[in-house]
Amino acid sequence: MSGAGSGAASKGRQAPGAATARRTPFVLLVVVLLGSGLIGLLVLNSSLNQGSFELSRLEKQTDELTDDRQALEQDVDRLSAPGALERRARELGMVPGGSPAFLRPDGTVSGVPAPATAQPTTLGTTGIWVPPALDPTPAAPLIPTPTTPAIPSPTAAASANSIPAPQ
């Protein structure tokens, strides 16, 4: 009977190696969870730092683009001033227009149209400047021929720049 009693006593008590063997999976689970948590925090911290650097770079780029935009707006304001527009128009050979005439929906004209007056331009010429592509007169030959003088006379140049009076 002592054999039966020893079996009951061995069920109540466990060997020291058996208790350690049952705790090993739990300890490993806790270590794995703590390790993966630390790695997750490291990855999260790295991504937040990377986002912070990207945000700083984009803020710097925004500041630079805002400065460029303000400089361009100042250029537009300077170039669209009435004096600057008039100066550039005169450089292109434009002259102030005459009296305007308006066409009404019924087909009648209100106002008396008048041609633009020839005024000296900043380029030193007088008269209305016509771009060569729109000029109806043929261009003079580059090589003088016996029929055309090589250097025009002052009277010919003055008559070429004069505009006939409207009739």
Side-chain angles (χ1 to χ4, degrees):
M1 286 212 218
S2 70
S6 70
S10 67
K11 282 188 176 181
R13 280 195 234 165
Q14 296 179 355
T20 305
R22 286 192 351 203
R23 276 193 233 158
T24 304
F26 176 73
V27 171
L28 284 176
L29 178 66
V30 170
V31 168
V32 168
L33 287 176
L34 286 176
S36 61
L38 288 174
I39 291 173
L41 285 175
L42 181 64
V43 169
L44 180 64
N45 191 20
S46 297
S47 66
L48 287 176
N49 284 337
Q50 183 179 1
S52 175
F53 288 133
E54 181 74 10
L55 181 64
S56 297
R57 185 186 65 79
L58 290 175
E59 285 176 346
K60 182 179 177 184
Q61 184 181 8
T62 301
D63 291 341
E64 291 172 358
L65 291 175
T66 301
D67 292 343
D68 290 346
R69 180 178 173 222
Q70 288 175 351
L72 290 173
E73 285 176 351
Q74 288 175 352
D75 287 346
V76 167
D77 290 343
R78 181 178 48 83
L79 293 174
S80 65
L85 288 176
E86 179 184 8
R87 181 185 51 79
R88 293 211 44 221
R90 288 195 185 274
E91 286 174 358
L92 293 172
M94 297 181 175
V95 295
S99 301
F102 300 98
L103 185 62
R104 294 186 180 148
D106 62 356
T108 60
V109 177
S110 70
V112 177
T117 59
Q119 296 180 355
T121 65
T122 57
L123 299 175
T125 61
T126 58
I128 299 174
W129 180 78
V130 178
L134 300 177
D135 192 6
T137 61
L142 296 176
I143 302 172
T145 61
T147 58
T148 59
I151 300 173
S153 66
T155 57
S159 65
N161 288 336
S162 65
I163 297 175
Q167 297 179 11

